[in-house]
Amino acid sequence: MDAASVPEPTGLEVRQLHALESTYPGWAITHTITPAGKHQWKAVLYRELTDLLHQAGVRAEVLEEDAIALATTLAHQTLLLASMRGGRAVPRRAGETP
């Protein structure tokens, strides 16, 4: 498949992108289709990823194959960000991983 034949995003994909952007304003969200036809949904955190955020499990960049997977990952990332209070992470339960 050459670059000229890369499909355009569907109306649904455009609506999904707008929904993600409005739901997760702290992230720069993009949707691309590779020349091979593979969908890539990417979110990049606008704020600086500090060591403390990283240790809490927050990722600076998230890449998923569909909008639903990205929404799920961003919901979890938002929960991790919200768990930060007063510059420190809320302790995790035993056996919980980021």
Side-chain angles (χ1 to χ4, degrees):
M1 182 181 289
D2 62 27
S5 63
V6 173
E8 290 292 316
T10 64
L12 173 62
E13 291 161 347
V14 171
R15 289 190 302 276
Q16 288 174 322
L17 179 60
H18 291 168
L20 287 166
E21 289 171 332
S22 64
T23 304
Y24 302 103
W27 298 81
I29 300 171
T30 57
H31 169 247
T32 57
I33 305 172
T34 68
K38 182 178 177 184
H39 291 257
Q40 294 180 332
W41 291 82
K42 182 178 177 179
V44 178
L45 186 62
Y46 281 124
R47 69 187 286 183
E48 179 184 349
L49 184 66
T50 64
D51 286 339
L52 187 60
L53 289 174
H54 179 71
Q55 290 171 5
V58 177
R59 295 168 28 195
E61 184 177 298
V62 175
L63 185 63
E64 297 289 355
E65 291 186 12
D66 62 58
I68 295 170
L70 184 62
T72 301
T73 301
L74 291 179
H76 180 70
Q77 292 293 299
T78 299
L79 180 64
L80 293 174
L81 286 163
S83 73
M84 303 297 292
R85 292 197 176 47
R88 54 190 197 99
V90 174
R92 292 191 194 112
R93 295 184 186 125
E96 193 175 30
T97 59

